[in-house]
Amino acid sequence: MEDKIREFVDIVNASDNIVFFGGAGVSTESGIPDFRSTDGLYNMKYKYPPETILSHSFYLREPEEFYRFYRDKMIYRDAKPSVTHMVLARLEQEGKLKAVITQNIDGLHQMAGSRNVIELHGTIHKNHCTRCQKFYGLDAITESEGIPRCSCSGMIKPDVVLYEEGLNDHDITSAVKYIREADVLIVGGTSLGVYPAAGLIDYYNGNKLILVNKSETPYDRRADLLINDSLGKVFGAL
């Protein structure tokens, strides 16, 4: 494993066109649970399954229950950037990393200092009124009770992609462009089982696909360098 981490460091040091594609595992080291881990959100027991609660139809049908769950399980205001977040921000500042493409909604990449972040599934930090489209920050959700309301009485909706909703076309186009043009593609902390996001890996044309994940993924055999270890250990070597 140490040899693989040294190879990882050598590849990163030699490139100035790196793209990082990350999932929930990037933020678990910041204390945010991974939905699909053994002890994650999807294995807990609630009145409804999380997949149901986090769907567009449930949001419309039972918004009060949706927001009770959303405030309790989707927002971690005390979370701080991990080693991985910080190193990625530094690599961008050094001109080596061109983009971070993330499936996370926590905003920790920006908190660490990353600027070019494509948030495929949106962010908890942006919310809007479904009636007048007025923008609201996170406080509008966390400091309200029940259904958060706009000054116009419209319901405030988080700018996160729920089940049954499509990804933003502009974000997809940008992600495809960065991945297609990358010299090095680092994929970290994701099971690569959620589509269409996982399918973005197919656009990579290079020969330096680095996959860092503790568990197996459907893309393991395609990786040019496969590291089954923690992101913090691997990125900490940089």
Side-chain angles (χ1 to χ4, degrees):
M1 191 60 67
E2 297 303 324
D3 289 343
K4 287 189 174 185
I5 294 177
R6 278 195 292 270
E7 184 179 353
F8 168 80
V9 171
D10 289 343
I11 291 173
V12 170
N13 286 338
S15 178
D16 61 359
N17 185 8
I18 303 168
V19 170
F20 179 82
F21 179 94
V26 180
S27 294
T28 53
E29 292 171 1
S30 295
I32 298 178
D34 179 353
F35 273 18
R36 291 169 180 79
S37 64
T38 304
D39 57 349
L41 208 53
Y42 277 56
N43 290 286
M44 296 180 182
K45 293 183 179 179
Y46 294 92
K47 186 178 179 181
Y48 302 94
E51 299 97 326
T52 299
I53 299 174
L54 296 174
S55 67
H56 182 76
S57 56
F58 188 91
Y59 159 79
L60 294 175
R61 187 173 68 250
E62 299 194 43
E64 192 155 351
E65 181 68 10
F66 169 87
Y67 278 108
R68 187 171 72 87
F69 179 89
Y70 184 80
R71 291 187 183 96
D72 187 36
K73 296 299 180 184
M74 303 301 291
I75 298 173
Y76 292 83
R77 298 204 73 161
D78 295 333
K80 303 297 181 186
S82 66
V83 169
T84 304
H85 292 108
M86 301 302 291
V87 172
L88 287 168
R90 174 169 58 79
L91 291 174
E92 182 187 32
Q93 292 162 7
E94 294 171 354
K96 300 176 72 62
L97 182 75
K98 302 307 180 187
V100 168
I101 303 166
T102 181
Q103 296 171 282
N104 298 332
I105 61 174
D106 49 52
L108 290 177
H109 285 292
Q110 291 91 332
M111 192 183 298
S114 291
R115 295 180 178 275
N116 192 18
V117 182
I118 300 172
E119 296 171 305
L120 294 175
H121 295 157
T123 174
I124 62 172
H125 297 282
K126 295 179 181 178
N127 307 273
H128 70 278
C129 172
T130 55
R131 178 182 294 174
C132 73
Q133 302 303 311
K134 181 178 178 180
F135 171 84
Y136 285 90
L138 184 57
D139 288 348
I141 305 296
T142 59
E143 295 180 5
S144 61
E145 295 182 2
I147 302 170
R149 296 286 181 182
C150 173
S151 54
C152 76
S153 298
M155 187 158 61
I156 299 174
K157 181 183 183 297
D159 287 350
V160 299
V161 179
L162 303 177
Y163 287 100
E164 304 166 352
E165 295 180 342
L167 302 186
N168 180 281
D169 288 340
H170 179 266
D171 289 339
I172 290 291
T173 300
S174 296
V176 167
K177 178 180 182 294
Y178 280 111
I179 289 173
R180 184 176 278 151
E181 296 175 356
D183 173 35
V184 177
L185 176 61
I186 305 172
V187 180
T190 172
S191 63
L192 291 173
V194 178
Y195 288 84
L200 292 172
I201 309 304
D202 294 333
Y203 290 96
Y204 178 60
N205 297 315
N207 60 358
K208 299 183 184 71
L209 173 58
I210 303 173
L211 186 50
V212 185
N213 202 54
K214 288 183 177 180
S215 56
E216 292 183 15
T217 81
Y219 284 76
D220 284 4
R221 292 184 179 180
R222 292 174 54 178
D224 299 294
L225 177 60
L226 176 64
I227 306 177
N228 293 128
D229 211 330
S230 71
L231 282 163
K233 179 179 178 181
V234 174
F235 275 85
L238 291 168

